[in-house]
Amino acid sequence: MPTSAFSVLVFILAVAPGFYYELVRGRRYTRTKESAFYEASRAVVASVVIGVFAGALAFLFWLYILSPEDPPDVAALLKRDPQYLGAHARQLTASLAVYLVTSFLFVHIWVKLHGVLNRIKARFTWLSPGVTSSHSLWTEVLQSRVPNGHISVARVQMKSGGVWVGPVLAFSTEHELADRELVLHAPILHADSENPTALAATTLRTVILRGPEIETIAVEGYARDEEPSEAPKRKGRKHQTR
């Protein structure tokens, strides 16, 4: 563990990219139950990989742009020479800023590329016959596999026996299933548990369905200019939540 202020600073700079990666990843992808060891290991690996590239850029920034006439003395930096550190405070501060900024940029670039790869897999199913593990099934069925220019229309079977049908407005995937919600908007059809096949139009503009109360979701993509009231009559792809 760090034993001095300088060591604490180095430790923070070393782990910052990995923990920032975890924060960004947690906002974009579904959170699953993982052990603390697994999460910490992923953060450490991300810190090492991102830190190597960001550190190399910061070193080159000092060497070729910031102070070409006075290249960094790696030995003095490793020895934490107080005289050398004090004389090169400006270069150190600028290089550390470059390191942090490039680290955070690398994190966002990697997450964006990962998202592009997932969309490519969803578009060309032969690249990924199954569902990608980085997304929940909700994201795959309700969003990723819907063609461009189309909307998702869902037929939701509740555990109580009731049925809700309507275009998907939004859904939450960053939570566990117990806290997840699905939002449908008008036109909304509903059937009660006594006669689940008798769908009737409602005057509701929006309905929020809680994840734990949902049994199955059948989804179909429809062109945006298609008559919404006709969409729910077709059969869709069924996805069972657990």
Side-chain angles (χ1 to χ4, degrees):
M1 293 297 293
T3 56
S4 66
F6 184 83
S7 298
V8 171
L9 177 62
V10 171
F11 177 78
I12 293 175
L13 292 173
V15 301
F19 282 100
Y20 186 70
Y21 169 76
E22 283 296 302
L23 289 175
V24 175
R25 181 179 179 276
R27 294 174 183 174
R28 186 177 183 88
Y29 298 115
T30 304
R31 300 186 183 187
T32 57
K33 293 181 179 180
E34 299 174 337
S35 66
F37 175 79
Y38 187 85
E39 292 182 352
S41 299
R42 186 171 56 227
V44 170
V45 172
S47 293
V48 172
V49 174
I50 297 172
V52 167
F53 288 100
L57 286 179
F59 183 85
L60 294 175
F61 176 78
W62 183 342
L63 183 62
Y64 292 104
I65 299 177
L66 190 60
S67 183
E69 72 285 351
D70 185 16
D73 187 343
V74 178
L77 290 173
L78 294 177
K79 293 179 180 178
R80 293 176 290 176
D81 185 347
Q83 185 176 358
Y84 182 82
L85 296 178
H88 296 80
R90 180 179 66 88
Q91 291 92 329
L92 281 172
T93 302
S95 297
L96 291 177
V98 170
Y99 168 80
L100 290 175
V101 171
T102 52
S103 295
F104 297 157
L105 286 177
F106 281 149
V107 168
H108 286 282
I109 291 173
W110 170 250
V111 172
K112 288 289 185 182
L113 290 176
H114 198 188
V116 171
L117 179 60
N118 286 335
R119 286 193 293 272
I120 292 175
K121 288 181 178 180
R123 185 175 181 84
F124 302 99
T125 55
W126 57 272
L127 291 174
S128 179
V131 177
T132 54
S133 60
S134 59
H135 283 310
S136 72
L137 291 175
W138 284 37
T139 301
E140 290 293 330
V141 175
L142 298 174
Q143 177 177 305
S144 298
R145 299 186 182 272
V146 178
N148 291 333
H150 289 61
I151 60 174
S152 294
V153 177
R155 183 181 189 278
V156 185
Q157 175 76 45
M158 308 301 290
K159 292 181 178 178
S160 61
V163 177
W164 292 91
V165 179
V168 176
L169 176 62
F171 59 95
S172 55
T173 60
E174 70 275 13
H175 308 299
E176 296 293 338
L177 181 59
D179 301 320
R180 201 174 298 175
E181 295 171 325
L182 173 64
V183 184
L184 304 180
H185 67 92
I188 297 174
L189 306 182
H190 179 252
D192 57 31
S193 58
E194 296 180 358
N195 193 359
T197 60
L199 290 170
T202 70
T203 58
L204 300 174
R205 300 297 302 172
T206 306
V207 62
I208 301 176
L209 307 176
R210 296 186 64 250
E213 299 174 359
I214 296 175
E215 181 65 29
T216 59
I217 305 175
V219 183
E220 188 66 25
Y222 289 85
R224 294 184 182 277
D225 57 355
E226 186 172 354
E227 182 64 29
S229 60
E230 297 177 359
K233 297 179 182 178
R234 301 184 186 178
K235 295 177 68 177
R237 296 186 300 273
K238 186 174 288 187
H239 155 57
Q240 184 170 356
T241 61
R242 298 183 183 277

